[in-house]
Amino acid sequence: MKGPPWPLGFVSFLLFAIPILGVSVPRRTSNNRKSTIQMIGYSPTKTDDYVAVQMQAEAGYIVGFEPIAHADRVHHMLLYGCEVAYSQEQFWTGMATCGSGPSHILYAWARNAPNLNLPPGVAFNIGHEDSSIKVLVLQIHYAQPFVGNVMDYSGVTLHMNDEQPIFLAAVMLFVAGYPIPPKMQQFQSNMSCKYDHETDMHPFAFRTHTHAMGRVVSGYFKHGNEWTKIGKRNPQWPQLFEKIDHPLKIQKGDMLAATCRFDSSNMTETTPMGHMGTNEMCNFYMMFYWEATKPDPFPYGAVCGGNEQPELFGTEYPKEGFELLPPRPELEHTALQSGRPFGIIEEAKIQKIGDITLGQISGLAFDQQKNLFIFHRGSRVWDGSTFDASNHLQDKKPIAEPTLLMTRFDGNTPVLVEALGGNQFYLPHGVFVDVDGYIYTTDVGAHTVTKWKKNGKKLDLVWRFGEEFVPGSDHGHLCKPTGVTKNGDRIFISDGYCNARVVELTADGKYKAQFGAPGTGEGQFQLPHDLVLSPKKTLLVADRQNGRVQELNMEGLVQSVVSSSLFTNIYSSDSFEDTIFMVPGENSYNRFTQDEIPISVYGSRLGTGLLEFAFSPTSERFGRPHVLRVSPDGNHIFIGDISEKGATLWKFRIQHDSSTESHTLSGATYYEKASAAYGAIKNKASTAPLTLTFFLLLGVVAGGIYVWMKKGRRRANPQNAFDRKGFKRLNQEDTVAFFTSDSESD
Ligand SMILES: *[C@@H]1O[C@H](CO)[C@@H](O)[C@H](O)[C@H]1NC(C)=O
Ligand SMILES: *[C@@H]1O[C@H](CO)[C@@H](O)[C@H](O)[C@H]1NC(C)=O
């Protein structure tokens, strides 16, 4: 194996990959577009690991945020809008986010919060001449290292357009810096600022934040003599932005006030404010909008960092603002950091099943009883002399030994249930088992696809499509067909090494339709090497030499495409819920540095086209993965490897925290489930009249330098702990051919 040993190779690859990852992938439809900032394939190295990536802010207006992450990998993500990033590098470790100058929080994500869409007409202004947001910095907090070789690509897709919005959005941070004396059941930290700008502010969401000692945080404003609540929340609950469901207006001359209530009865010493877990914080975030035609009241970030009228709290501040909210154990529980680290663990490398030594493993399929069918080539190997120049098989003797092994796993040991297919196959490729137990196979040597009925130890032929040993591209022939799958009565074949098409057959094996053509465009293929049906009932075609997975509907219209600079080929893919898993069969090379990129399995959120994570074995590198299948329960990944060192069946287990639900939740389903989960929490609540429509944060946090205070524009108390370098880590914090050769051997 050339190149440095695996971990070093990957690390050095990462260094070079940085310029091409974590960058924006603009997609335009009229003036609506998406831009994604994502992690570079990072593997956290310690508990509470904070890292950041930056990207230039492309000029536009953000109207929504779409997280590409899952709580079982990521504790929280914060998106900052900065004038200058902390570092010149694309990626850095530590809690730093913005450099000097204005610093705004635009978005925060945790705990599988769903997409956030701003109210109609409201948007964040970034990248323009008149915006102080020139750079976006995504900070990710990983609670714990992953188990196994797992790399993370979590990120946020910004939904943007170029339309000048009616309202511009920002977030005001209220922050107090009083140290907390010990042994007090109730200690109150107060903030108050007079609003002194002509532009009216309309708060529409709020977020509260403290560490472990915070019990309640509230914010109000006073207009004339009347106090109005902006929001109140227990900071031990998930620290999401909570929507304010009635219109509010803050005008010049109004008094803004907020307070944090702490319980320090267990403490023996004074607790200072700061980012460390042992420090405390007192933050109230108010998300607001103003009319875009009016001047921006806080071009450098909005902060209320002082207490102009401390006497208000003893006399006028609504008493309710100090009172504890009724306990909500289910919320307090939800907010706890997950205990079990995310991991993808190598469990087994199988080369023999009973007495049978596996040959090149070309296909894998599960049946309804969770048996795994292993389709292998026994002693036969596909090499340069297997076919002549016109794709005719040279050795027309079938493989004598059983090539289709029906197995059942006992832990990590496969037990042979039935050895099938002796003397029936020439060069096995794909296999699929339908709900009724019929087996479908493709044979690249015979240029056929066959439906079989398992009859005891035998396979009985039901029908066969394609003329045996005669390659062709018309409606009666196939040419080295690769994969086969079924949707209801419709049978789909990826065809294959010499044709670049998907052929549809009727249930009784007659030609019905086809789509696809050779090429690199959407819906075109260069060696469609595998196809499966996704849970959305779309076809996922591993478009091998184009290095991508195309998601198509039954008529061949492209729904989404997953490709990346990380791989130049994809041999196989499968999906579970909303995650597409895909694997290259050969190493790829960085297109700038030509550095080798070792083979990993990549996970992408179905429909987004974006990578979310990757993993590879821990014991040694993959050889030549040919087929990948996910177990029916979604917990295991199997990979058939046709390495010259010996065919290997790899088994991996996905470990995720049970409290974060399934590790993959799909497209629409993902968001439905997330809302349903929050809905359930809400419904379980015994009392609270709060309408907890959790949605996620965005906002603006002042640069810490620009502290808004009415008089004297004093700096904040130096003990003030601004969150600008990231929210502290805290257990309660809220918390995705030109075929070089058409043979499969080198
Ligand atoms: C104080 O500590 C005790 C014992 O560890 C614990 O049960 C209690 O909940 C703590 N109280 C507070 C307010 O943190
Ligand atoms: C905040 O206000 C409350 C109510 O007047 C008061 O008891 C408390 O001491 C104040 N906190 C500080 C730090 O001054």
Side-chain angles (χ1 to χ4, degrees), residues 215 263 265-266:
R215 290 296 172 267
D263 181 341
S265 49
N266 277 359

Side-chain angles (χ1 to χ4, degrees), residues 482-485 492-494 502 515 525 528-544 548-554 557 559-562 570-582 604-608 628-630:
T482 53
V484 54
T485 194
F492 294 89
I493 302 157
S494 45
V502 171
F515 53 79
F525 306 109
H529 192 255
D530 184 22
L531 91 172
V532 291
L533 194 68
S534 80
K536 270 166 66 188
K537 304 287 180 209
T538 50
L539 292 170
L540 301 176
V541 178
D543 186 7
R544 180 170 134 178
R548 64 187 181 184
V549 174
Q550 297 200 67
E551 182 198 6
L552 307 127
N553 71 7
M554 297 299 130
L557 285 176
Q559 311 296 297
S560 69
V561 179
V562 191
I570 289 292
Y571 274 47
S572 184
S573 70
D574 196 9
S575 61
F576 182 75
E577 294 187 343
D578 76 337
T579 300
I580 305 177
F581 294 89
M582 67 206 89
S604 167
R605 175 86 47 94
L606 183 59
T608 64
L628 176 155
R629 288 296 180 264
V630 187

Side-chain angles (χ1 to χ4, degrees), residues 178 187-190 259 307 310 313-314 322:
Y178 304 101
F187 176 78
Q188 214 64 54
S189 239
N190 313 316
T259 186
N307 193 2
F313 291 89
F322 296 127

Side-chain angles (χ1 to χ4, degrees), residues 346-372:
E346 182 187 328
E347 283 193 332
K349 278 188 289 187
I350 297 145
Q351 299 199 304
K352 277 184 97 156
I353 295 180
D355 295 337
I356 302 173
T357 299
L358 292 170
Q360 296 190 327
I361 302 166
S362 60
L364 293 172
F366 283 93
D367 70 7
Q368 297 292 301
Q369 286 71 45
K370 303 190 174 75
N371 296 305
L372 177 63

Side-chain angles (χ1 to χ4, degrees), residues 9 34 52 72 231 329 397 480 530 565 583 604 618 661 664 697 740:
K34 293 178 178 184
D72 58 16
K397 278 196 307 294
K480 295 178 181 164
D530 184 22
S565 54
V583 69
S604 167
T618 38
E661 296 198 347
T664 49
L697 135 58
T740 46

Side-chain angles (χ1 to χ4, degrees), residues 62 169 441 463 726:
I62 304 173
T441 57
W463 52 249

Side-chain angles (χ1 to χ4, degrees), residues 24-37 55 58-68 79 106-107 114-119 121-126 128 136 155-163 165 169 605 607-608 610 670-671 698:
S24 109
V25 185
R27 278 177 280 155
R28 242 167 220 281
T29 41
S30 72
N31 66 348
N32 292 320
R33 61 185 187 276
K34 293 178 178 184
S35 175
T36 300
I37 179 166
M55 129 180 145
E58 128 191 22
Y61 297 98
I62 304 173
V63 296
F65 299 88
E66 178 184 345
I68 309 292
L79 181 66
L106 301 177
Y107 178 69
N115 284 11
L116 169 61
N117 294 312
L118 300 192
V122 178
F124 282 93
N125 174 13
I126 66 165
H128 292 113
L136 298 172
V156 182
T157 296
L158 308 175
H159 292 227
M160 299 179 66
N161 63 43
D162 296 319
E163 268 163 51
R605 175 86 47 94
T608 64
L610 298 167
Y670 172 81
Y671 300 115
L698 41 153

